[in-house]
Coordinates of all heavy atoms in Angstrom, one line a residue:
D1 N 13.2 8.6 -11.7 CA 12.6 9.2 -10.5 C 11.5 8.4 -9.9 O 10.6 8.1 -10.6 CB 12.1 10.6 -10.9 CG 11.6 11.4 -9.8 OD1 11.9 11.2 -8.6 OD2 10.7 12.2 -10.1
A2 N 11.7 7.9 -8.7 CA 10.7 7.2 -8.0 C 9.3 7.8 -8.0 O 8.4 7.1 -8.0 CB 11.1 6.9 -6.6
T3 N 9.3 9.2 -7.9 CA 7.9 9.8 -7.8 C 7.1 9.6 -9.1 O 5.9 9.4 -9.0 CB 8.1 11.4 -7.5 OG1 8.9 11.5 -6.3 CG2 6.8 12.0 -7.3
Y4 N 7.8 9.5 -10.2 CA 7.2 9.3 -11.4 C 6.5 8.0 -11.4 O 5.3 7.8 -11.8 CB 8.1 9.4 -12.6 CG 7.7 8.8 -13.9 CD1 6.8 9.5 -14.7 CD2 7.9 7.5 -14.3 CE1 6.3 8.9 -15.8 CE2 7.4 6.9 -15.4 CZ 6.5 7.7 -16.3 OH 6.1 7.1 -17.4
W5 N 7.2 6.9 -11.0 CA 6.8 5.5 -11.0 C 5.6 5.4 -10.0 O 4.6 4.7 -10.2 CB 7.9 4.6 -10.7 CG 8.9 4.6 -11.8 CD1 10.1 5.2 -11.9 CD2 8.6 4.1 -13.2 NE1 10.6 5.0 -13.0 CE2 9.9 4.4 -13.9 CE3 7.7 3.3 -13.8 CZ2 10.0 3.9 -15.2 CZ3 7.8 2.9 -15.1 CH2 9.1 3.2 -15.7
Y6 N 5.8 6.0 -8.8 CA 4.7 6.0 -7.8 C 3.4 6.6 -8.3 O 2.3 6.0 -8.1 CB 5.2 6.7 -6.5 CG 4.2 7.2 -5.6 CD1 3.4 6.3 -4.8 CD2 3.8 8.5 -5.5 CE1 2.4 6.6 -4.0 CE2 2.8 8.9 -4.6 CZ 2.1 8.0 -3.9 OH 1.2 8.4 -3.0
N7 N 3.5 7.8 -8.9 CA 2.4 8.5 -9.4 C 1.7 7.6 -10.6 O 0.5 7.5 -10.7 CB 2.7 9.8 -9.9 CG 2.9 10.8 -8.8 OD1 2.4 10.7 -7.7 ND2 3.8 11.8 -9.0
R8 N 2.5 7.1 -11.4 CA 1.9 6.3 -12.5 C 1.3 5.0 -12.0 O 0.3 4.6 -12.5 CB 3.0 5.9 -13.5 CG 2.5 5.3 -14.9 CD 3.4 5.2 -15.9 NE 4.1 4.0 -15.9 CZ 4.8 3.4 -16.9 NH1 4.8 4.2 -18.1 NH2 5.4 2.4 -16.9
A9 N 1.8 4.4 -11.0 CA 1.2 3.3 -10.3 C -0.3 3.6 -9.8 O -1.1 2.8 -10.1 CB 2.1 2.8 -9.2
G10 N -0.3 4.8 -9.2 CA -1.6 5.2 -8.7 C -2.6 5.4 -9.9 O -3.8 5.1 -9.7
A11 N -2.2 6.0 -10.9 CA -3.0 6.2 -12.1 C -3.5 4.9 -12.7 O -4.7 4.7 -13.0 CB -2.3 7.1 -13.2
R12 N -2.5 4.0 -12.8 CA -2.9 2.7 -13.4 C -3.7 1.9 -12.5 O -4.7 1.2 -12.9 CB -1.5 1.9 -13.6 CG -0.8 2.4 -14.9 CD 0.4 1.7 -15.2 NE 0.8 1.9 -16.6 CZ 1.8 1.3 -17.2 NH1 2.6 0.5 -16.5 NH2 2.1 1.5 -18.4
R13 N -3.6 2.0 -11.2 CA -4.4 1.4 -10.2 C -5.9 1.9 -10.4 O -6.8 1.1 -10.4 CB -3.9 1.6 -8.7 CG -4.9 1.0 -7.7 CD -4.4 1.3 -6.3 NE -3.9 2.6 -6.0 CZ -4.6 3.6 -5.7 NH1 -6.0 3.6 -5.8 NH2 -4.1 4.9 -5.6
E14 N -6.0 3.2 -10.4 CA -7.3 3.8 -10.6 C -8.0 3.3 -11.9 O -9.2 3.3 -12.0 CB -7.2 5.3 -10.5 CG -6.9 5.8 -9.2 CD -8.0 5.7 -8.2 OE1 -9.2 5.7 -8.6 OE2 -7.8 5.4 -7.0
A15 N -7.2 3.1 -12.9 CA -7.7 2.6 -14.3 C -8.0 1.1 -14.2 O -8.4 0.6 -15.3 CB -6.7 3.0 -15.3
G16 N -7.7 0.4 -13.1 CA -7.9 -1.1 -13.1 C -6.8 -1.8 -13.6 O -7.0 -3.1 -13.8
Q17 N -5.8 -1.3 -14.0 CA -4.6 -1.9 -14.6 C -3.6 -2.4 -13.5 O -2.5 -2.0 -13.3 CB -3.8 -1.1 -15.6 CG -4.7 -0.6 -16.7 CD -4.1 0.5 -17.5 OE1 -2.9 1.0 -17.2 NE2 -4.7 0.9 -18.5
L18 N -4.2 -3.4 -12.7 CA -3.4 -3.7 -11.4 C -2.0 -4.4 -11.6 O -1.1 -4.0 -10.9 CB -4.3 -4.7 -10.6 CG -5.6 -4.1 -10.1 CD1 -6.4 -5.1 -9.3 CD2 -5.4 -2.8 -9.5
D19 N -1.9 -5.3 -12.6 CA -0.5 -5.7 -12.8 C 0.5 -4.7 -13.3 O 1.7 -4.6 -12.8 CB -0.5 -6.9 -13.9 CG -1.3 -8.1 -13.4 OD1 -1.3 -8.4 -12.1 OD2 -1.9 -8.9 -14.2
A20 N 0.1 -3.8 -14.2 CA 0.9 -2.8 -14.7 C 1.2 -1.7 -13.4 O 2.4 -1.3 -13.2 CB 0.4 -1.9 -15.8
A21 N 0.2 -1.5 -12.6 CA 0.3 -0.6 -11.5 C 1.3 -1.2 -10.4 O 2.2 -0.5 -9.9 CB -1.0 -0.3 -10.8
L22 N 1.2 -2.5 -10.2 CA 2.2 -3.2 -9.3 C 3.6 -3.0 -9.8 O 4.5 -2.8 -9.0 CB 1.7 -4.6 -9.1 CG 2.6 -5.4 -8.1 CD1 2.6 -4.6 -6.7 CD2 2.0 -6.8 -8.0
A23 N 3.8 -3.3 -11.1 CA 5.2 -3.2 -11.7 C 5.7 -1.8 -11.4 O 6.9 -1.6 -11.0 CB 5.1 -3.5 -13.1
D24 N 4.9 -0.7 -11.6 CA 5.3 0.6 -11.4 C 5.6 0.9 -9.9 O 6.6 1.6 -9.6 CB 4.3 1.6 -11.9 CG 4.2 1.7 -13.4 OD1 5.2 1.1 -14.1 OD2 3.2 2.3 -13.9
A25 N 4.7 0.4 -9.0 CA 4.9 0.6 -7.6 C 6.2 -0.2 -7.1 O 7.0 0.4 -6.3 CB 3.8 0.1 -6.8
E26 N 6.5 -1.3 -7.6 CA 7.6 -2.0 -7.3 C 8.9 -1.3 -7.8 O 9.9 -1.3 -7.1 CB 7.7 -3.4 -8.0 CG 6.6 -4.4 -7.4 CD 6.8 -4.9 -6.1 OE1 8.0 -4.6 -5.4 OE2 6.0 -5.6 -5.5
R27 N 8.8 -0.7 -9.0 CA 10.0 0.1 -9.4 C 10.2 1.3 -8.6 O 11.3 1.7 -8.3 CB 9.6 0.6 -10.9 CG 10.7 1.4 -11.6 CD 11.6 0.5 -12.5 NE 12.7 1.3 -13.0 CZ 12.8 1.6 -14.2 NH1 12.0 1.3 -15.2 NH2 13.9 2.3 -14.7
A28 N 9.2 2.0 -8.2 CA 9.3 3.1 -7.3 C 10.0 2.7 -5.9 O 10.9 3.4 -5.5 CB 7.9 3.8 -7.1
A29 N 9.5 1.6 -5.4 CA 10.0 1.2 -4.1 C 11.5 0.8 -4.3 O 12.3 0.9 -3.4 CB 9.2 0.0 -3.5
A30 N 11.9 0.2 -5.4 CA 13.3 -0.2 -5.7 C 14.1 1.0 -5.9 O 15.3 1.0 -5.4 CB 13.3 -1.1 -6.9
L31 N 13.7 2.0 -6.5 CA 14.4 3.2 -6.7 C 14.6 4.1 -5.4 O 15.6 4.8 -5.2 CB 13.8 4.1 -7.8 CG 13.9 3.6 -9.1 CD1 13.0 4.4 -10.1 CD2 15.4 3.7 -9.6
A32 N 13.6 4.0 -4.6 CA 13.5 4.8 -3.3 C 13.0 4.0 -2.2 O 11.8 4.1 -1.8 CB 12.7 6.1 -3.5
P33 N 13.8 3.0 -1.7 CA 13.2 2.1 -0.7 C 12.7 2.7 0.6 O 12.0 2.2 1.3 CB 14.5 1.3 -0.3 CG 15.6 1.5 -1.4 CD 15.2 2.8 -2.0
K34 N 13.0 4.0 0.7 CA 12.6 4.7 2.0 C 11.3 5.5 1.7 O 10.9 6.3 2.6 CB 13.7 5.5 2.6 CG 14.7 4.7 3.2 CD 15.8 5.6 3.9 CE 16.9 4.6 4.5 NZ 17.9 5.3 5.2
L35 N 10.8 5.4 0.5 CA 9.6 6.3 0.1 C 8.3 5.4 0.6 O 8.0 4.5 0.0 CB 9.5 6.4 -1.4 CG 8.3 7.3 -2.0 CD1 8.3 8.6 -1.3 CD2 8.4 7.2 -3.4
A36 N 7.8 5.8 1.8 CA 6.8 5.1 2.4 C 5.5 5.0 1.5 O 4.9 3.9 1.5 CB 6.4 5.8 3.8
Q37 N 5.3 6.0 0.7 CA 4.1 6.1 -0.1 C 4.2 5.1 -1.2 O 3.1 4.4 -1.6 CB 3.9 7.5 -0.7 CG 3.5 8.6 0.3 CD 4.7 9.2 0.9 OE1 5.9 8.6 0.8 NE2 4.6 10.2 1.8
A38 N 5.3 4.7 -1.7 CA 5.5 3.7 -2.7 C 5.1 2.3 -2.1 O 4.5 1.5 -2.7 CB 6.9 3.6 -3.2
H39 N 5.5 2.1 -0.9 CA 5.1 0.8 -0.2 C 3.6 0.8 0.1 O 3.0 -0.3 -0.1 CB 5.9 0.7 1.1 CG 7.4 0.4 0.9 ND1 8.0 -0.7 0.3 CD2 8.4 1.3 0.9 CE1 9.3 -0.5 0.2 NE2 9.6 0.8 0.5
A40 N 3.1 1.9 0.5 CA 1.6 1.9 0.7 C 0.8 1.7 -0.5 O -0.2 1.0 -0.6 CB 1.2 3.2 1.3
E41 N 1.3 2.3 -1.6 CA 0.7 2.0 -3.0 C 0.8 0.5 -3.3 O -0.2 0.0 -3.8 CB 1.5 2.9 -4.0 CG 0.8 2.7 -5.3 CD -0.6 3.2 -5.5 OE1 -1.0 4.2 -4.9 OE2 -1.4 2.6 -6.2
R42 N 1.9 -0.1 -3.0 CA 2.0 -1.6 -3.3 C 1.0 -2.3 -2.5 O 0.2 -3.2 -2.9 CB 3.4 -2.0 -2.9 CG 4.5 -1.7 -3.8 CD 5.9 -2.1 -3.4 NE 5.9 -3.5 -3.0 CZ 6.3 -4.0 -1.8 NH1 6.6 -3.1 -0.8 NH2 6.4 -5.2 -1.6
G43 N 0.8 -1.9 -1.2 CA -0.3 -2.4 -0.4 C -1.7 -2.3 -0.9 O -2.5 -3.3 -0.9
L44 N -1.9 -1.1 -1.5 CA -3.2 -0.9 -2.0 C -3.5 -1.8 -3.2 O -4.5 -2.5 -3.4 CB -3.4 0.6 -2.6 CG -3.6 1.7 -1.5 CD1 -3.4 3.0 -2.2 CD2 -5.0 1.5 -0.9
I45 N -2.5 -2.0 -4.0 CA -2.6 -2.8 -5.2 C -2.7 -4.3 -4.8 O -3.7 -5.0 -5.3 CB -1.5 -2.6 -6.2 CG1 -1.5 -1.2 -6.7 CG2 -1.6 -3.7 -7.4 CD1 -0.1 -0.8 -7.3
Y46 N -1.9 -4.8 -3.9 CA -2.1 -6.1 -3.4 C -3.5 -6.4 -2.8 O -4.0 -7.5 -2.9 CB -1.0 -6.5 -2.4 CG 0.3 -6.8 -3.0 CD1 1.4 -6.2 -2.6 CD2 0.4 -7.7 -4.0 CE1 2.7 -6.4 -3.2 CE2 1.7 -8.1 -4.6 CZ 2.8 -7.5 -4.0 OH 4.0 -7.7 -4.7
R47 N -4.0 -5.3 -2.0 CA -5.4 -5.6 -1.4 C -6.4 -5.7 -2.5 O -7.3 -6.6 -2.4 CB -5.7 -4.4 -0.5 CG -7.0 -4.6 0.2 CD -7.2 -3.5 1.3 NE -7.2 -2.3 0.8 CZ -8.1 -1.6 0.2 NH1 -9.3 -2.1 -0.1 NH2 -8.0 -0.3 -0.2
L48 N -6.3 -4.9 -3.5 CA -7.3 -5.0 -4.6 C -7.2 -6.4 -5.4 O -8.1 -6.8 -6.0 CB -7.0 -3.8 -5.6 CG -7.5 -2.5 -5.1 CD1 -7.1 -1.4 -6.0 CD2 -9.0 -2.4 -4.7
K49 N -5.9 -6.9 -5.4 CA -5.6 -8.2 -6.1 C -6.1 -9.3 -5.0 O -5.9 -10.6 -5.4 CB -4.2 -8.3 -6.5 CG -3.8 -7.4 -7.6 CD -2.3 -7.5 -8.0 CE -1.9 -8.8 -8.5 NZ -2.0 -9.0 -9.9
N50 N -6.5 -9.0 -3.9 CA -6.9 -9.9 -2.8 C -5.7 -10.8 -2.4 O -5.9 -11.9 -1.9 CB -8.1 -10.8 -3.3 CG -8.8 -11.4 -2.1 OD1 -8.9 -10.8 -1.0 ND2 -9.3 -12.6 -2.2
E51 N -4.5 -10.2 -2.4 CA -3.3 -10.8 -2.0 C -3.0 -10.1 -0.6 O -2.1 -9.2 -0.4 CB -2.2 -10.7 -2.8 CG -2.4 -11.4 -4.1 CD -1.2 -11.3 -5.2 OE1 -0.1 -11.2 -4.7 OE2 -1.5 -11.3 -6.4
L52 N -3.9 -10.4 0.5 CA -3.9 -9.7 1.7 C -2.6 -9.9 2.6 O -2.2 -9.0 3.1 CB -5.1 -10.1 2.6 CG -6.4 -9.8 1.9 CD1 -7.6 -10.3 2.8 CD2 -6.6 -8.3 1.5
P53 N -2.0 -11.0 2.6 CA -0.6 -11.1 3.3 C 0.4 -10.1 2.7 O 1.1 -9.5 3.5 CB -0.2 -12.6 3.2 CG -1.5 -13.3 3.1 CD -2.3 -12.4 2.2
R54 N 0.4 -10.1 1.5 CA 1.4 -9.1 0.8 C 1.0 -7.7 1.0 O 1.9 -6.8 1.2 CB 1.5 -9.4 -0.7 CG 2.3 -10.7 -1.1 CD 2.3 -10.9 -2.5 NE 3.3 -11.9 -2.8 CZ 3.6 -12.2 -4.0 NH1 3.0 -11.7 -5.1 NH2 4.5 -13.1 -4.3
A55 N -0.2 -7.4 1.0 CA -0.7 -6.1 1.3 C -0.4 -5.6 2.7 O 0.1 -4.6 3.0 CB -2.3 -6.0 1.1
M56 N -0.6 -6.5 3.7 CA -0.2 -6.2 5.1 C 1.3 -6.0 5.2 O 1.7 -5.0 5.9 CB -0.7 -7.4 6.0 CG -2.1 -7.7 6.0 SD -3.0 -6.2 6.5 CE -3.1 -6.5 8.3
A57 N 2.0 -6.7 4.6 CA 3.5 -6.6 4.6 C 4.0 -5.3 4.1 O 4.8 -4.6 4.6 CB 4.3 -7.7 3.9
A58 N 3.3 -4.8 2.9 CA 3.5 -3.5 2.4 C 3.2 -2.4 3.3 O 3.9 -1.4 3.4 CB 3.0 -3.5 0.9
Y59 N 2.0 -2.4 3.9 CA 1.6 -1.4 4.7 C 2.4 -1.4 6.0 O 2.8 -0.2 6.4 CB 0.1 -1.7 5.2 CG -0.9 -1.6 4.1 CD1 -1.9 -2.6 4.0 CD2 -1.0 -0.6 3.2 CE1 -2.9 -2.6 3.1 CE2 -1.9 -0.6 2.2 CZ -3.0 -1.5 2.1 OH -3.9 -1.5 1.2
D60 N 2.8 -2.5 6.5 CA 3.8 -2.5 7.6 C 5.0 -1.8 7.3 O 5.5 -1.1 8.1 CB 4.0 -3.9 8.2 CG 2.8 -4.6 8.9 OD1 1.8 -3.9 9.1 OD2 2.8 -5.8 9.0
R61 N 5.6 -2.2 6.1 CA 6.9 -1.5 5.7 C 6.6 0.1 5.6 O 7.5 0.8 6.1 CB 7.2 -2.1 4.3 CG 8.6 -1.4 3.9 CD 9.8 -1.8 4.6 NE 11.0 -1.2 4.1 CZ 11.9 -0.6 4.8 NH1 11.8 -0.6 6.1 NH2 12.9 0.0 4.2
A62 N 5.5 0.5 5.0 CA 5.2 1.8 4.9 C 5.2 2.6 6.2 O 5.8 3.7 6.5 CB 4.0 2.1 4.0
L63 N 4.5 1.9 7.2 CA 4.3 2.5 8.5 C 5.6 2.5 9.3 O 5.8 3.3 10.1 CB 3.2 1.9 9.2 CG 1.8 2.3 8.7 CD1 0.7 1.3 9.2 CD2 1.5 3.7 8.9
A64 N 6.5 1.4 9.0 CA 7.8 1.5 9.7 C 8.7 2.7 9.2 O 9.4 3.3 10.0 CB 8.5 0.2 9.4
L65 N 8.4 3.0 8.0 CA 9.2 4.1 7.5 C 8.6 5.5 7.8 O 9.3 6.5 8.0 CB 9.2 4.0 5.9 CG 10.1 2.9 5.3 CD1 9.9 2.8 3.8 CD2 11.6 3.1 5.6
E66 N 7.4 5.5 7.8 CA 6.6 6.8 8.2 C 5.4 6.5 9.1 O 4.3 6.3 8.6 CB 6.1 7.5 6.9 CG 5.7 8.9 7.1 CD 5.4 9.7 5.8 OE1 6.2 9.4 4.8 OE2 4.5 10.4 5.8
P67 N 5.7 6.5 10.4 CA 4.6 6.1 11.3 C 3.4 7.0 11.4 O 2.4 6.5 11.9 CB 5.4 6.2 12.7 CG 6.8 6.2 12.4 CD 7.0 6.7 11.1
N68 N 3.4 8.1 10.8 CA 2.2 9.0 10.8 C 1.5 9.0 9.4 O 0.7 9.9 9.2 CB 2.7 10.3 11.2 CG 3.1 10.5 12.6 OD1 2.6 9.8 13.5 ND2 4.2 11.2 12.8
L69 N 1.7 8.0 8.6 CA 1.1 8.0 7.3 C -0.3 7.4 7.5 O -0.6 6.2 7.4 CB 1.9 7.1 6.4 CG 1.5 7.1 5.0 CD1 1.6 8.4 4.2 CD2 2.4 6.1 4.1
I70 N -1.2 8.3 7.7 CA -2.6 8.0 8.0 C -3.3 7.2 6.9 O -4.0 6.2 7.1 CB -3.5 9.4 8.2 CG1 -2.9 10.1 9.4 CG2 -4.9 9.0 8.4 CD1 -2.7 9.4 10.7
S71 N -2.9 7.5 5.6 CA -3.5 6.7 4.6 C -3.2 5.2 4.7 O -4.0 4.3 4.3 CB -3.2 7.2 3.2 OG -1.8 7.2 3.0
A72 N -2.0 4.9 5.1 CA -1.6 3.5 5.3 C -2.3 2.8 6.4 O -2.7 1.7 6.2 CB -0.1 3.5 5.5
Y73 N -2.6 3.6 7.5 CA -3.4 3.0 8.6 C -4.8 2.6 8.1 O -5.4 1.7 8.3 CB -3.6 3.9 9.7 CG -2.3 3.9 10.7 CD1 -1.4 5.1 10.7 CD2 -2.0 2.8 11.5 CE1 -0.3 5.0 11.5 CE2 -0.8 2.9 12.2 CZ 0.0 3.9 12.2 OH 1.1 4.0 13.0
A74 N -5.4 3.6 7.3 CA -6.8 3.4 6.8 C -6.8 2.1 5.9 O -7.7 1.3 5.9 CB -7.3 4.6 6.2
A75 N -5.8 2.1 5.0 CA -5.8 1.0 4.0 C -5.5 -0.3 4.7 O -6.1 -1.4 4.3 CB -4.8 1.3 3.0
R76 N -4.6 -0.2 5.7 CA -4.3 -1.5 6.4 C -5.6 -2.0 7.3 O -5.8 -3.2 7.3 CB -3.2 -1.3 7.4 CG -2.7 -2.6 7.9 CD -1.4 -2.5 8.8 NE -1.7 -1.7 10.0 CZ -0.7 -1.6 11.0 NH1 0.5 -2.0 10.7 NH2 -1.0 -0.9 12.0
G77 N -6.4 -1.0 7.7 CA -7.6 -1.3 8.4 C -8.6 -2.0 7.5 O -9.2 -3.0 7.9
L78 N -8.6 -1.6 6.2 CA -9.6 -2.2 5.3 C -9.0 -3.7 5.0 O -9.8 -4.7 4.8 CB -9.6 -1.5 4.0 CG -10.2 -0.2 4.0 CD1 -10.0 0.7 2.7 CD2 -11.7 -0.4 4.4
A79 N -7.7 -3.9 5.0 CA -7.2 -5.2 4.8 C -7.5 -6.1 5.9 O -7.9 -7.3 5.8 CB -5.7 -5.2 4.5
H80 N -7.3 -5.6 7.2 CA -7.7 -6.3 8.4 C -9.1 -6.7 8.3 O -9.5 -7.9 8.6 CB -7.5 -5.5 9.7 CG -6.1 -5.5 10.1 ND1 -5.3 -6.6 10.4 CD2 -5.2 -4.4 10.4 CE1 -4.1 -6.3 10.8 NE2 -4.0 -4.9 10.8
E81 N -9.9 -5.8 8.0 CA -11.4 -6.0 7.8 C -11.8 -7.1 6.8 O -12.5 -8.0 7.1 CB -12.1 -4.7 7.4 CG -13.6 -4.7 7.4 CD -14.2 -3.3 7.2 OE1 -14.0 -2.9 6.0 OE2 -14.8 -2.7 8.0
A82 N -11.0 -7.1 5.6 CA -11.1 -8.1 4.6 C -10.8 -9.5 5.2 O -11.4 -10.5 4.7 CB -10.5 -7.8 3.4
N83 N -9.9 -9.5 6.1 CA -9.4 -10.8 6.8 C -10.4 -11.2 7.9 O -10.1 -12.3 8.5 CB -8.0 -10.6 7.2 CG -6.9 -11.0 6.4 OD1 -7.1 -11.9 5.5 ND2 -5.7 -10.5 6.5
G84 N -11.3 -10.4 8.2 CA -12.2 -10.6 9.3 C -11.7 -10.3 10.7 O -12.2 -10.7 11.7
D85 N -10.6 -9.6 10.7 CA -10.0 -9.1 12.0 C -10.5 -7.7 12.3 O -9.7 -6.7 12.0 CB -8.4 -9.2 11.9 CG -7.8 -8.9 13.2 OD1 -8.4 -8.5 14.1 OD2 -6.5 -9.0 13.2
I86 N -11.6 -7.7 12.8 CA -12.3 -6.5 13.0 C -11.6 -5.7 14.2 O -11.5 -4.4 14.1 CB -13.8 -6.6 13.5 CG1 -14.5 -7.4 12.3 CG2 -14.6 -5.4 13.7 CD1 -14.4 -6.8 11.0
D87 N -11.2 -6.2 15.2 CA -10.5 -5.5 16.3 C -9.2 -4.8 15.8 O -9.0 -3.6 16.0 CB -10.1 -6.4 17.4 CG -11.3 -6.9 18.2 OD1 -12.3 -6.3 18.2 OD2 -11.2 -8.1 18.8
S88 N -8.4 -5.5 15.0 CA -7.2 -4.9 14.4 C -7.6 -3.7 13.4 O -7.0 -2.7 13.3 CB -6.4 -5.8 13.6 OG -5.8 -6.7 14.6
A89 N -8.7 -4.0 12.7 CA -9.1 -2.9 11.8 C -9.6 -1.6 12.5 O -9.2 -0.5 12.1 CB -10.4 -3.4 10.9
K90 N -10.3 -1.9 13.7 CA -10.7 -0.7 14.4 C -9.5 0.1 15.0 O -9.5 1.3 15.1 CB -11.6 -1.2 15.6 CG -13.0 -1.6 15.3 CD -13.7 -2.0 16.5 CE -15.1 -2.5 16.1 NZ -15.9 -3.0 17.3
R91 N -8.5 -0.7 15.4 CA -7.3 0.0 15.9 C -6.7 0.9 14.9 O -6.3 2.0 15.1 CB -6.3 -1.0 16.5 CG -6.6 -1.5 17.9 CD -5.4 -2.2 18.5 NE -5.1 -3.4 17.7 CZ -5.7 -4.6 17.9 NH1 -6.7 -4.7 18.8 NH2 -5.3 -5.7 17.2
D92 N -6.6 0.3 13.7 CA -6.0 1.1 12.6 C -6.8 2.3 12.2 O -6.4 3.4 11.9 CB -5.7 0.2 11.3 CG -4.4 -0.5 11.4 OD1 -3.6 -0.2 12.4 OD2 -4.3 -1.5 10.7
F93 N -8.1 2.1 12.2 CA -9.0 3.3 11.8 C -9.0 4.4 12.8 O -9.4 5.4 12.5 CB -10.5 2.8 11.7 CG -10.7 1.8 10.5 CD1 -11.6 0.8 10.5 CD2 -10.0 2.0 9.2 CE1 -11.8 -0.1 9.4 CE2 -10.2 1.3 8.2 CZ -11.1 0.3 8.2
H94 N -8.6 4.0 14.0 CA -8.6 5.1 15.1 C -7.2 5.6 15.3 O -7.0 6.5 16.2 CB -9.2 4.5 16.4 CG -10.6 4.3 16.4 ND1 -11.1 3.0 16.3 CD2 -11.6 5.1 16.4 CE1 -12.4 3.1 16.3 NE2 -12.7 4.4 16.4
M95 N -6.3 5.4 14.3 CA -4.9 6.0 14.6 C -5.0 7.4 14.1 O -5.6 7.9 13.5 CB -3.9 5.3 13.7 CG -3.7 3.8 14.3 SD -3.2 3.7 15.9 CE -1.6 4.4 15.9

């Protein structure tokens, strides 16, 4: 069940176990490719690992699947901010 892997990824991310969290998020996304939250979770983990291009790709995928996923806009805004792209960050924060 993809939801199990998605939830465990979040728990592991919160515990600072980023590599294990990423493996779980990848498993969730593989099991349910249309589960936007799984892709957003991947983005969160990549951002914490400072892999910003991968984070952005994951957020973009999540938002393509679910254009109203506010948490993905906020998280993508943080990634834009980390990249120094303040204008794009502001756009995402105001979605």
Side-chain angles (χ1 to χ4, degrees):
D1 179 30
T3 304
Y4 166 81
W5 296 104
Y6 160 73
N7 287 328
R8 192 167 89 164
R12 285 181 160 177
R13 174 181 44 82
E14 289 292 322
Q17 301 169 356
L18 298 182
D19 291 333
L22 183 57
D24 288 349
E26 294 287 355
R27 180 98 185 252
L31 288 170
K34 293 183 180 181
L35 181 62
Q37 292 84 351
H39 295 284
E41 182 65 36
R42 287 175 52 240
L44 286 170
I45 297 162
Y46 280 128
R47 184 171 54 82
L48 291 171
K49 292 173 65 86
N50 203 33
E51 296 182 31
L52 298 178
R54 287 181 165 180
M56 297 301 272
Y59 295 137
D60 290 345
R61 178 70 179 136
L63 290 166
L65 291 167
E66 194 172 323
N68 295 319
L69 188 59
I70 300 302
S71 61
Y73 281 109
R76 190 174 71 176
L78 292 172
H80 281 304
E81 190 175 65
N83 266 335
D85 186 352
I86 303 305
D87 290 334
S88 293
K90 286 180 183 178
R91 278 193 297 278
D92 277 349
F93 290 146
H94 288 109
M95 293 306 290

